[in-house]
Amino acid sequence: MENQISARLASIYGLAGKVAVITGAAQGLGFATASLFAEVGASVAVADLNLEAAQRAARELQAKGATAIACKVDIADESSVKALFAAVDAEFGRVDILVNNAAYRGKAEFFDMPVQEWDKMFSVTLRGTFLCCREAIARMRAAGKGGSIVNISSVSAVRTTLWGINAHYDAAKAGIDSLTRVLSGEFAADNIRVNSVLPGGMASEGGKNISSSYNIRGPITLAGRIPMKRTANPLEVAQAVLFLASPASSYITGQLLAADGGFMVS
Amino acid sequence: MNTPLLTNTFGIEGRVALVTDSGGLASIDVAPLLAAAGATVIVADRDPEAVRALVAKITSAGGRAAAIPTDVESESSVKALFAQVEREYERFDILVNCAGVNANQPFVDTTLEQFDQVNSVNLRSTFLAMREGVRLMLAKGNGGRIVNITTMGALHPVLKDNAIYCATRSAVTMLTRSVASDYAKDRILVNLVMPGAVVGKTRFHESTLAAMQQGRKLKGPGVDTERRQPLGMGTGQDIASAVLYLVGPAGGYITGQAIILDGGFLCS
């Protein structure tokens, strides 16, 4: 029975034989996603701004028997993104799944925000996602076997989560959701699906760094505003990413899936 | 492939699940998949033969299932259903509301009786099953998962002459989100699956079937499959995979959400 169940589940939610590129994959949600994908059969390109951390992460996956490579990428830099996908071409010869997880997490008071801070947010979070999508979709189309792109957005793209310091982040994440819709419509005929996952509160490394250096306040921080009364661990969000990357969601494109413990209905 | 991880992530072994309806594509694919993932599945619907046929299909594939013929529109019948579940099973974990009826006819020709019939299946029966289901989940004290299967037509007109279907299904959206908000503290998670062009996901009302037999064709943006269904038609398996994701361990932080299975319609 156990074997029957897992064989059935593998055919629906498994990624055997697939190649996945995951940005920001050295830690937090990106690493949780890379680990989960590797465990269900994918070959993974662990792409990160920090090459040493990416190498550590890739070695950790390899130690568990997975096929993984580490790549340095600065998604704000077009040539760096092209180099990432060239490395993936050389290693795997294909791309089936792209998870756009890398983002700039800076915070700034609205009136004091240097325009350079605004520009950095958009050059990384939105422009970088565009660059990775363009490279991946070109390869998926050429191969003619479809593909799945999962963009990591945020509930803050559709609801106010933090006050005063998050305008550029929220707007950039909303831009990602728009990209999700536009690209899904444009490339559905090629069976390339594009969806967003919207985490709510999540206890990831990136989030912890921010909490320690800013006065964080806003709806999502108020007592009782997360109906499940806890933040997510990155694995719970990674499981949503896997659902959208896997054959289970083969009829879903252009959609937003929030893993937010009920924040959007609170 | 790490098979224990797969079953720990998506498996529901040992859980007790209840699926309403037995004839639409949603139920005939959802119930077998929940059983294949390890749950004991109770099938509840008015037509005893259809219920038994679905249960037989599950058990012949090696799954665990039980038939409890139920009129989901009748409060006493739904109460009797849940009383039986409480008596016969130690736990109650999952409720999937698949029952629905699609009444496609011009708005101005819709009688109040037809409105009431459609509303009775699409909204009122969902309320009844959810109320009794949440009561039983609270009594068992182990949380629970509820998935309401409605339609993309609750978000956007897909067919012409379908106002009552869409409106009654749309009401289920706020029922879902409100109950999700009310019972998250009890670890009862409530979500929607909204299929688009998945033919046969619900039954057609007799009046619609009669009109179609007389040659009336369905019209509207949804039938323009060339331009409005870029991923083609969906299947009951697509619905079942989304439901299993939501009711299994992987769906543990998701509540009040809608998974929209529209093959790209809303972005077309």
Side-chain angles (χ1 to χ4, degrees):
Chain A
M1 189 72 184
E2 173 73 23
N3 280 342
Q4 261 182 27
I5 291 176
S6 56
R8 183 73 188 276
L9 294 175
S11 72
I12 298 173
Y13 302 102
L15 301 178
K18 304 286 187 191
V19 173
V21 177
I22 303 170
T23 65
Q27 63 169 13
L29 174 60
F31 182 63
T33 303
S35 306
L36 183 62
F37 280 21
E39 300 251 32
V40 298
S43 300
V44 179
V46 176
D48 204 282
L49 189 58
N50 181 340
L51 179 61
E52 272 180 38
Q55 286 167 334
R56 262 199 311 278
R59 276 197 300 274
E60 203 173 312
L61 302 187
Q62 289 157 359
K64 287 194 247 174
T67 303
I69 60 166
C71 305
K72 179 179 167 65
V73 68
D74 174 1
I75 62 169
D77 174 357
E78 184 175 22
S79 60
S80 177
V81 171
K82 285 183 180 279
L84 162 64
F85 281 87
V88 173
D89 289 342
E91 183 69 25
F92 299 117
R94 57 188 287 182
V95 180
D96 303 293
I97 296 161
L98 167 66
V99 180
N100 285 303
N101 171 68
Y104 177 58
R105 301 284 296 270
K107 306 285 170 202
E109 296 286 348
F110 185 70
F111 288 112
D112 299 336
M113 187 186 304
V115 75
Q116 292 82 1
E117 172 74 7
W118 178 274
D119 290 343
K120 183 170 184 188
M121 177 62 74
F122 278 78
S123 73
V124 177
T125 303
L126 184 54
R127 189 170 169 273
T129 298
F130 151 70
L131 289 172
C132 291
C133 284
R134 195 178 60 180
E135 293 303 311
I137 290 172
R139 284 162 176 78
M140 290 169 179
R141 282 188 95 182
K145 290 176 181 161
S148 178
I149 296 177
V150 183
N151 292 324
I152 305 303
S153 171
S154 167
V155 288
S156 69
V158 289
R159 293 279 196 284
T160 298
T161 57
L162 300 177
W163 286 315
I165 54 172
N166 226 30
H168 55 338
Y169 181 81
D170 297 351
K173 289 294 193 180
I176 284 180
D177 290 343
S178 184
L179 202 56
T180 291
R181 291 193 196 91
V182 170
L183 297 179
S184 72
E186 200 130 338
F187 299 107
D190 300 295
N191 202 27
I192 297 166
R193 302 183 296 106
V194 189
N195 294 285
S196 289
V197 167
L198 284 58
M202 182 169 59
S204 70
E205 281 86 345
K208 281 174 203 157
N209 291 342
I210 289 159
S211 306
S212 58
S213 43
Y214 287 89
N215 175 24
I216 299 289
R217 56 193 191 89
I220 204 165
T221 69
L222 300 176
R225 276 305 298 272
I226 300 179
M228 289 188 71
K229 297 181 184 165
R230 63 178 181 86
T231 55
N233 73 50
L235 176 61
E236 290 176 302
V237 180
Q239 287 163 342
V241 180
L242 173 57
F243 170 67
L244 289 173
S246 72
S249 61
S250 56
Y251 200 56
I252 299 178
T253 193
Q255 294 302 320
L256 317 181
L257 176 59
D260 70 350
F263 174 72
M264 279 172 63
V265 293
S266 75
Chain B
M1 188 78 66
N2 183 335
T3 53
L5 177 128
L6 264 173
T7 47
N8 291 339
T9 305
F10 298 105
I12 49 175
E13 196 147 25
R15 315 278 213 291
V16 174
L18 172 63
V19 175
T20 71
D21 195 41
S22 57
L25 244 190
S27 56
I28 65 170
D29 286 305
V30 169
L33 183 61
L34 298 185
T40 297
V41 180
I42 300 150
V43 180
D45 192 10
R46 179 162 34 197
D47 178 351
E49 277 188 26
V51 176
R52 287 191 193 104
L54 182 51
V55 167
K57 177 181 164 187
I58 294 168
T59 52
S60 67
R64 286 180 288 263
I68 306 183
T70 303
D71 177 359
V72 295
E73 295 176 63
S74 152
E75 182 172 29
S76 59
S77 183
V78 172
K79 283 191 168 210
L81 161 69
F82 280 89
Q84 187 176 345
V85 173
E86 183 166 23
R87 264 197 322 277
E88 295 182 1
Y89 298 89
E90 281 187 9
R91 46 191 301 160
F92 180 61
D93 307 287
I94 295 162
L95 167 64
V96 186
N97 287 304
C98 298
V101 63
N102 190 343
N104 188 281
Q105 58 196 333
F107 177 70
V108 291
D109 299 338
T110 305
T111 67
L112 188 56
E113 287 71 24
Q114 286 168 336
F115 176 93
D116 288 340
Q117 285 169 0
V118 174
N119 189 60
S120 173
V121 181
N122 289 347
L123 176 60
R124 193 169 171 278
S125 83
T126 307
F127 155 69
L128 284 174
M130 283 179 75
R131 188 188 64 186
E132 297 309 311
V134 171
R135 281 177 176 169
L136 187 51
M137 287 169 182
L138 289 173
K140 299 285 188 189
N142 293 316
R145 304 286 174 87
I146 299 175
V147 179
N148 294 322
I149 295 173
T150 63
T151 174
M152 194 242 303
L155 293 168
H156 189 101
V158 179
L159 296 175
K160 297 285 185 189
D161 303 325
N162 220 25
I164 309 310
Y165 177 66
C166 294
T168 52
R169 288 308 217 177
S170 180
V172 175
T173 299
M174 282 316 294
L175 189 65
T176 303
R177 301 182 75 217
S178 299
V179 177
S181 168
D182 291 347
Y183 295 100
K185 63 182 179 7
D186 302 295
R187 289 183 298 120
I188 297 171
L189 311 185
V190 193
N191 293 288
L192 288 159
V193 170
M194 306 175 94
V198 179
V199 166
K201 68 192 172 195
T202 52
R203 299 164 205 231
F204 275 103
H205 193 271
E206 289 81 358
S207 61
T208 303
L209 286 173
M212 288 168 76
Q213 276 157 9
Q214 286 163 21
R216 194 160 75 79
K217 296 219 175 344
L218 298 177
K219 291 181 193 155
V223 301
D224 181 5
T225 51
E226 184 75 11
R227 284 176 294 186
R228 303 302 300 271
Q229 308 293 352
L231 289 182
M233 300 294 286
T235 67
Q237 281 304 318
D238 294 316
I239 299 175
S241 305
V243 170
L244 178 57
Y245 162 66
L246 287 171
V247 303
Y253 199 61
I254 297 186
T255 193
Q257 291 298 317
I259 291 184
I260 299 160
L261 280 155
D262 73 349
F265 176 85
L266 289 172
C267 295
S268 69

